[in-house]
Amino acid sequence: MDWDVHKSAPARAALAETLGSLRGLGVPLDRGALVPYARLAERTAALDLDQLDGIDDPLELAERALLLTLLLEPALMALRRMAQENESARRHGGGRP
């Protein structure tokens, strides 16, 4: 993806560990399978940083970035789960509860 990420970034290790676990369980994901997810992550990162636009105070900026990281991430995962449920119902039928 030609991203500028430090070689010791914790996310690198987390990604490698997760991919290794998947591989060990017989679910290898190659580059082609990950690129669409990486593109979504790029767009999400841009939206994240858009939330910080216009904040000039460094302390307020750091606080907002931390809050968005800690609190928005679970909301994004919840949205993903709901979208998966919706897509599964769309593809495989099933009525609404």
Side-chain angles (χ1 to χ4, degrees), residues 45-89:
L47 289 169
D48 289 344
L49 293 178
D50 287 349
Q51 298 300 313
L52 304 175
D53 283 349
I55 301 174
D56 297 323
D57 178 50
L59 184 57
E60 183 182 352
L61 184 63
E63 181 180 75
R64 177 75 60 89
L66 178 64
L67 289 174
L68 286 172
T69 298
L70 293 175
L71 299 176
L72 188 57
E73 190 165 309
L76 294 176
M77 292 308 299
L79 287 169
R80 180 180 180 208
R81 298 289 184 265
M82 291 189 303
Q84 288 171 335
E85 181 179 339
N86 177 69
E87 185 64 15
S88 180

Side-chain angles (χ1 to χ4, degrees), residues 9 13-14 16 20 25 28 31-32 36 39 42 57 68 89:
L25 293 168
R31 178 178 165 78
R39 288 188 180 130
E42 280 180 327
D57 178 50
L68 286 172

Side-chain angles (χ1 to χ4, degrees), residues 3-10 12:
W3 290 349
D4 184 8
V5 178
H6 195 275
K7 64 181 178 180
S8 65
R12 280 182 178 258

